[in-house]
Amino acid sequence: MNFLKAGLSLSAAAALVSPAYARETQTRALGCGMDEVLRSVANFGSDVDLGVLNGKLSGALVGVVNGVDTNEWDPATDPHLPANYSVEVARGESVVNAETGRVVLDPRAGKAACKRALQIELGLREDPDAPLIGFIGRLDGQKGVDVLLESVPRLVELGAQIVLLGSGDPGLEDGLRGVEHRFRGSAVGWVGFSVPVSHRITAAVDILAMPSRFEPCGLNQLYALRYGTAPVAHKTGGLRDTVTSDVGFPFAPCESTALTEAMERAIKVYRRRGRENVDETKKWDRMRTRAMRKDLSWNVAAEKYESLFTKAAAPAPFAVNRRAVSKSNPALAAARDAEDTAHEWRDAERRAEKMRRKAARAPNKDTREGDRSEDSNLLWRVTSAVKSAIFFRR
């Protein structure tokens, strides 16, 4: 029994954590056996694959990108950082935060101070001009850590420094230790996890690597944008929706060659940032400003969820909510008590019957390789027939 399938089959709408991932789950590659069911939600009950049109007409299967806790992830007030900074502070200036009493720098100066502190903390070569690349995440095949490890030698050859933080697969943990040993002073592999260190890395690095093979939403790229760090991300799921070319460097396919090429593009733009009076050289600062000004709060996501729920919701019979209404609005409750609400129950019953029929027509096949759902369905029918025969003989 698949409770997720049952829930989807009975739903008026469904939400996933990014628009791109909502589309991807309707394909066999990333649907995990549920692609036909998800397409039936998106396409008025039909599991026919309409390609780019899946879900466009009904609006019943949507993707809503997660929000960020803007209090915890705020470079202007983050207590884990050696220097705070804000996009609201003009270049070369600083202000004092009235609440924390700490000095808040402009983004360029603040990130430079954080970078120098992290280089000292982790034993990296102190070099303000070296592109500093970070990775934070679970060490797992999904996250594409192996792809990044393949690219490390070339990145070091280009003069970059790399900081990797995470734990998980023992083989990948050994990979982190290996690059640190091989490129001492230019690479650090921190096996484990630390919230304060993750904040300091996000603020200090110039580039954040996110080579995930698939990613429903992703949060680290959102933290990076908020902290003025350029993400280099594989074009999949939520990364495709949030890491666009105006704030980062998307790439595909998820291979070390494509990742390295994207890193080379990012490093090229980064190294031009110090040259004045050339429009191209200011691109890095413009990208950082755009990224830091993005509204990544939960307010944006909440509005989209509210819109979806309002569209999908059906009014319940008054009696269901009478107690709550009588407390908030006694006059309304009294007025409704005098009305005939039998039609509300009939409407609710009709909607319920409609949903039951929809669920009965929903796809019943697990589309993963080696699926035995048809065999299971046959076994269920045979078993039911045998049970019925035994019951009636009694």
Side-chain angles (χ1 to χ4, degrees):
M1 182 178 292
N2 190 321
F3 290 102
L4 178 58
K5 186 259 184 186
L8 287 168
S9 300
L10 288 165
S11 67
L16 287 83
V17 291
S18 71
Y21 188 64
R23 295 191 297 271
E24 291 168 353
T25 56
Q26 296 176 66
T27 67
R28 187 160 296 194
L30 287 174
C32 298
M34 300 286 287
D35 51 293
E36 291 186 356
V37 179
L38 287 161
R39 285 200 301 273
S40 73
V41 174
N43 299 332
F44 302 102
S46 171
D47 64 351
V48 174
D49 191 348
L50 301 177
V52 295
L53 293 178
N54 282 331
K56 292 288 188 182
L57 302 178
S58 71
L61 184 66
V62 302
V64 179
V65 174
N66 287 330
V68 169
D69 184 334
T70 54
N71 291 321
E72 180 181 358
W73 291 93
D74 184 353
T77 58
D78 193 332
H80 303 303
L81 305 187
N84 292 123
Y85 56 95
S86 170
V87 71
E88 303 303 330
V89 178
R91 184 175 174 181
E93 297 184 3
S94 63
V95 298
V96 176
N97 187 304
E99 295 182 5
T100 65
R102 299 182 67 179
V103 175
V104 181
L105 306 174
D106 70 86
R108 179 180 283 198
K111 285 189 69 67
C114 291
K115 181 176 184 176
R116 180 175 182 276
L118 189 72
Q119 288 173 330
I120 294 172
E121 177 184 358
L122 300 183
L124 292 168
R125 185 180 67 259
E126 290 184 51
D127 183 353
D129 295 322
L132 184 55
I133 301 169
F135 170 85
I136 304 168
R138 187 176 70 257
L139 303 186
D140 182 86
Q142 178 224 329
K143 297 297 183 181
V145 188
D146 54 314
V147 177
L148 178 57
L149 291 175
E150 286 183 43
S151 301
V152 168
R154 173 58 180 162
L155 299 178
V156 173
E157 184 181 318
L158 292 170
Q161 298 178 346
I162 298 94
V163 178
L164 304 102
L165 172 67
S167 62
D169 180 88
L172 294 174
E173 289 183 350
D174 289 340
L176 264 64
R177 297 185 184 99
V179 295
E180 178 172 342
H181 177 75
R182 181 180 173 185
F183 302 107
R184 186 77 63 181
S186 294
V188 171
W190 183 313
V191 176
F193 189 75
S194 164
V195 170
V197 173
S198 71
H199 280 243
R200 290 199 290 274
I201 291 175
T202 302
V205 298
D206 305 297
I207 300 165
L208 185 78
M210 292 199 70
S212 302
R213 287 184 166 85
F214 66 92
E215 191 68 68
C217 178
L219 288 173
N220 285 330
Q221 86 277 13
L222 302 180
Y223 302 149
L225 294 173
R226 187 148 170 82
Y227 279 57
T229 298
V232 172
H234 177 219
K235 290 193 284 188
T236 184
L239 300 179
R240 180 186 292 273
D241 294 317
T242 56
V243 182
T244 49
S245 57
D246 61 330
V247 294
F249 299 86
F251 71 91
C254 190
E255 298 173 354
S256 61
T257 301
L259 171 59
T260 302
E261 289 175 353
M263 285 290 183
E264 289 176 349
R265 293 198 306 272
I267 290 171
K268 182 179 180 180
V269 176
Y270 169 79
R271 285 206 162 119
R272 287 177 173 176
R273 76 201 185 288
R275 304 176 190 174
E276 302 295 338
N277 302 321
V278 180
D279 185 64
E280 175 65 19
T281 66
K282 299 178 181 178
K283 183 177 180 180
W284 190 265
D285 287 342
R286 291 199 301 268
M287 290 179 67
R288 179 172 56 210
T289 299
R290 278 194 296 267
M292 295 184 73
R293 289 195 183 281
K294 275 183 170 287
D295 185 354
L296 302 173
S297 70
W298 272 106
N299 293 336
V300 177
E303 288 180 3
K304 293 179 179 179
Y305 278 117
E306 183 178 17
S307 175
L308 175 66
F309 295 158
T310 301
K311 178 182 177 181
F318 169 70
V320 174
N321 299 314
R322 188 193 182 287
R323 179 176 296 181
V325 174
S326 63
K327 289 182 178 179
S328 60
N329 194 333
L332 175 61
R336 291 302 312 274
D337 284 338
E339 297 177 6
D340 180 7
T341 58
H343 69 282
E344 296 181 354
W345 288 104
R346 289 194 295 271
D347 290 343
E349 289 170 0
R350 279 195 292 268
R351 289 195 298 270
E353 179 59 26
K354 183 178 179 181
M355 297 305 294
R356 283 193 289 269
R357 290 179 180 177
K358 175 189 172 187
R361 294 192 303 268
N364 192 41
K365 184 180 179 181
D366 185 335
T367 60
R368 289 172 293 186
E369 193 72 26
D371 166 48
R372 314 306 281 176
S373 62
E374 294 300 327
D375 294 346
S376 300
N377 196 34
L378 175 62
L379 178 61
W380 178 82
R381 292 199 301 270
V382 171
T383 303
S384 297
V386 171
K387 287 182 177 179
S388 297
I390 294 172
F391 176 79
F392 285 117
R393 281 180 182 175
R394 291 178 180 176

